[in-house]
Amino acid sequence: MTKLIFEESVRSQRILRLLGAMVIILSLFGPVFSVTRDSRTSRLLTYSEIADLYSGSRLSPDLELRLNNILTEPFVGNLSPKPMPPISTSPLLGDYIRVAQWNIERGLEFEALKAVFEGGDRVEELLDQQRYPLNSPARNELLDQARQLRASDVIILNEVDWGLKRSDYRNIPEELAAVLGWNYAFGVEFVELSPVQRSLGTISGPDVLGEDLDAARYKGLHGTAILSRFPLENVRLIPFRTQLYDWFQTERKGVSLIEKGRRTLVRKVFLETALQEVRRGGRSMLIAEIVDPRFPAGRATVVATHLEIRTSPAKRRVQLNELLATIKPIRTPVIVAGDMNTSGTDMTPTTIERELRKRFGKPEYLIKTGINQVLGIGMLHDALSATLTFGRNHGDPTVRHIPFIMPNEERKFFSVLKDFRFDDGGRLDFRGEPLRSFGGKKNTLANSNERDGKGFVTTFRLPRPIKFIGKFKLDWIFVKPVHLFDSSDYQGSYLFAPHFGRTLGAVNSLVPERISDHSPIIVDLPLSEPHIKKSARKK
């Protein structure tokens, strides 16, 4: 009897040890199994459900619940089991991580995108040998930029598709993460409805073609992604409470005659096509913590966003303020990145009523009209003001706002960012100095975003820009370092502070039609105080 009790005790201890080992394994590698393919696909909408989303503003309770789940719960794939991946090092920065941001224009040029991330010979295979001859400066620059981008540790992507015909029904965030062997998070902004309705023939017009869709593969998801060499934790998808444009109702009923005229003019001059885009959803923030014991605080928070384009700069700041209120309590280092649509122009679809209200409802217009009438310089003043304003603002939306003469509606966006203070007193880094910026530039944000002689290196261009017209600095990386309590303190800490921010315009030209209408940007963040002499500049 004693022997039986002893054997049972041994057996029980073995079972407990086995269970304990399983718990340890799951705790160490839990992220690998955190989301399975079955749990992801079970959340997706069926083709008939997506078609039903177009039918009207009133949805069934079940469909409304499923849509809300898609728009508020991120898809997370912790694919890499490596708890401590290799980290780059340099004589100037010591150990550092590199962060990249890229609006990939839906992933239309996926093979080129994949080649850049894959590396090897694939990039050279895609190069036009006549345009980029062997050993030419242009070829070497493109290949170097591809290497610089590939050396990133975290990549924030805007305009990312999953299950759309235009991008071959690919699950782009998962496929790119698999190419890199990284972890990823994907937040859905919109469920795209126009392709389904074009397929059914319920959307028509001169710019609309019928589509032959594969219903089994169509998922209709479009949003923002974070790819990371490090584990992702506490991933959240937070839609903005303030949605500045109704992509469902407004687009479904069609644009006004005057707006159609504006879009036609833009298409003829710049080759930029603006089709009707009916979709459910709205702009959001995708937030995740990247985790590694070598980080100053053991983790850092990544905030990926894409602010509304079809609105005015003043209204866009409402979303900015909402984002800042959301991240205010965060005490770790913070990286905010994305397409901020800082064009300085009002892209709200227009009507005759709105154009009249915009002019006659503004005191600036009345004052300017009065001055013009008195001095008799109306058309000359308007032309000169418009030329000076655009030439001054297109590459540097941070320049000073001078009412009536050279207004800059985007200036306050950056003032809000610079004045913002986290609950722990931390600030976003606005410093710019030659020894810490790419190209040896100085002034506002030069350390984190590349500047040139005309302001910032622009990140977006239309298919056919006219000199500087049609080019904008829309994409940004902003960083809250460790122990920075004044956004312009040149004597302060540079731990996890942005260095050598750069725009990689050449790599975007890997294929004739460009990989995207936006260029990628990168920045380096040191994990200790860098070996660079601090500037003599005062606060």
Side-chain angles (χ1 to χ4, degrees), residues 405-423:
I405 303 171
M406 288 186 288
N408 176 19
E409 298 295 334
E410 218 66 78
R411 163 76 175 203
K412 197 167 184 181
F413 184 96
F414 296 92
S415 299
V416 168
L417 283 167
K418 187 174 183 179
D419 294 341
F420 174 71
R421 186 185 294 273
F422 290 84
D423 282 346

Side-chain angles (χ1 to χ4, degrees), residues 31 76 78 230-236 287-291 299-300:
V76 183
N78 274 310
F230 308 102
L232 295 171
E233 294 184 1
N234 194 21
V235 183
R236 295 167 286 156
I287 304 176
E289 294 177 3
I290 53 173
V291 181
R299 61 186 59 227

Side-chain angles (χ1 to χ4, degrees), residues 40-47 49-50 53 66-75 104-107 158-173 184 186-196 217-225 237 277-281:
R40 288 198 299 271
T41 55
S42 65
R43 293 173 50 201
L44 301 179
L45 300 172
T46 66
Y47 187 78
E49 286 174 325
I50 295 171
L53 289 176
R66 286 170 57 74
L67 175 63
N68 183 68
N69 180 268
I70 287 284
L71 298 173
T72 58
E73 293 293 329
F75 294 87
I104 60 171
E105 197 183 2
R106 302 169 172 85
N158 294 124
E159 293 197 13
V160 184
D161 278 358
W162 178 1
L164 282 149
K165 182 181 178 180
R166 65 194 181 195
S167 46
D168 296 326
Y169 301 102
R170 297 180 183 278
N171 181 343
I172 288 179
Y184 78 93
F186 176 57
V188 178
E189 284 186 307
F190 299 104
V191 179
E192 302 285 353
L193 306 179
S194 289
V196 175
R217 300 169 67 196
Y218 191 89
K219 311 303 176 192
L221 305 182
H222 179 76
T224 296
L237 177 62
E277 279 189 285
V278 182
R279 47 194 188 175
R280 293 269 192 175

Side-chain angles (χ1 to χ4, degrees), residues 109-149:
E109 293 288 347
F110 181 80
E111 291 303 324
L113 194 64
K114 180 181 175 183
V116 170
F117 288 157
E118 257 181 340
D121 298 331
R122 186 62 182 139
V123 173
E124 299 214 37
E125 289 172 6
L126 290 176
L127 279 174
D128 184 326
Q129 302 303 317
Q130 291 185 331
R131 186 179 177 191
Y132 296 101
L134 193 65
N135 295 324
S136 65
R139 182 191 188 99
N140 292 338
E141 175 68 9
L142 190 153
L143 294 175
D144 176 67
Q145 288 193 10
R147 284 190 293 269
Q148 297 297 329
L149 182 60

Side-chain angles (χ1 to χ4, degrees), residues 11-25:
R11 191 179 300 112
S12 298
Q13 289 177 13
R14 287 174 179 171
I15 292 172
L16 288 172
R17 282 198 296 269
L18 179 60
L19 288 173
M22 290 176 66
V23 169
I24 291 172
I25 291 171

Side-chain angles (χ1 to χ4, degrees), residues 27-83:
S27 66
L28 289 174
F29 300 102
V32 182
F33 310 104
S34 60
V35 178
T36 65
R37 180 175 295 276
D38 289 341
S39 67
R40 288 198 299 271
T41 55
S42 65
R43 293 173 50 201
L44 301 179
L45 300 172
T46 66
Y47 187 78
S48 62
E49 286 174 325
I50 295 171
D52 287 344
L53 289 176
Y54 185 88
S55 60
S57 57
R58 293 180 65 88
L59 304 177
S60 70
D62 179 64
L63 183 53
E64 188 168 9
L65 182 64
R66 286 170 57 74
L67 175 63
N68 183 68
N69 180 268
I70 287 284
L71 298 173
T72 58
E73 293 293 329
F75 294 87
V76 183
N78 274 310
L79 307 177
S80 173
K82 298 176 183 177

Side-chain angles (χ1 to χ4, degrees), residues 186-428:
F186 176 57
V188 178
E189 284 186 307
F190 299 104
V191 179
E192 302 285 353
L193 306 179
S194 289
V196 175
Q197 299 313 308
R198 285 196 290 268
S199 176
L200 298 175
T202 53
I203 294 181
S204 61
D207 293 325
V208 178
L209 301 174
E211 290 198 43
D212 182 18
L213 298 183
D214 185 336
R217 300 169 67 196
Y218 191 89
K219 311 303 176 192
L221 305 182
H222 179 76
T224 296
I226 299 171
L227 311 181
S228 171
R229 197 188 300 272
F230 308 102
L232 295 171
E233 294 184 1
N234 194 21
V235 183
R236 295 167 286 156
L237 177 62
I238 306 174
F240 287 108
R241 294 186 301 276
T242 304
Q243 295 296 335
L244 302 170
Y245 183 72
D246 189 336
W247 287 89
F248 177 65
Q249 295 287 11
T250 305
E251 288 288 300
R252 192 171 67 149
K253 70 183 180 183
V255 297
S256 68
L257 187 61
I258 189 172
E259 174 64 17
K260 286 180 180 177
R262 185 172 77 168
R263 293 187 184 186
T264 299
L265 179 63
V266 169
R267 181 171 65 251
K268 287 182 177 179
V269 175
F270 297 107
L271 301 181
E272 177 76 352
T273 301
L275 293 177
Q276 186 179 4
E277 279 189 285
V278 182
R279 47 194 188 175
R280 293 269 192 175
R283 304 298 180 180
S284 58
M285 300 167 265
L286 179 63
I287 304 176
E289 294 177 3
I290 53 173
V291 181
D292 192 284
R294 294 164 292 184
F295 293 173
R299 61 186 59 227
T301 303
V302 179
V303 183
T305 194
H306 188 173
L307 300 186
E308 185 56 65
I309 181 173
R310 293 192 177 174
T311 191
S312 66
K315 290 182 179 179
R316 194 176 296 114
R317 290 197 297 273
V318 175
Q319 288 186 337
L320 174 66
N321 283 318
E322 193 174 324
L323 183 152
L324 294 176
T326 301
I327 66 175
K328 196 175 193 303
I330 298 175
R331 295 181 175 273
T332 62
V334 177
I335 302 154
V336 179
D339 180 352
M340 306 295 175
N341 275 312
T342 48
S343 66
T345 55
D346 187 343
M347 295 298 292
T348 307
T350 193
T351 63
I352 292 175
E353 178 186 358
R354 185 171 184 275
E355 289 301 309
L356 291 173
R357 188 172 69 249
K358 186 167 66 175
R359 287 163 171 75
F360 294 106
K362 283 188 173 183
E364 293 94 332
Y365 179 82
L366 298 176
I367 294 170
K368 187 173 73 172
T369 301
I371 294 172
N372 291 348
Q373 290 293 330
V374 172
L375 299 180
I377 57 170
M379 290 184 65
L380 177 62
H381 174 275
D382 286 348
L384 182 60
S385 176
T387 302
L388 289 174
T389 298
F390 193 88
R392 177 173 176 263
N393 298 353
H394 87 281
D396 190 355
T398 71
V399 294
R400 185 181 173 189
H401 170 67
I402 306 175
F404 313 127
I405 303 171
M406 288 186 288
N408 176 19
E409 298 295 334
E410 218 66 78
R411 163 76 175 203
K412 197 167 184 181
F413 184 96
F414 296 92
S415 299
V416 168
L417 283 167
K418 187 174 183 179
D419 294 341
F420 174 71
R421 186 185 294 273
F422 290 84
D423 282 346
D424 63 0
R427 299 289 190 106
L428 295 170

Side-chain angles (χ1 to χ4, degrees), residues 10 103 107 298 389 447 474 526:
V10 171
N103 180 324
T389 298
N447 293 358
L474 302 184

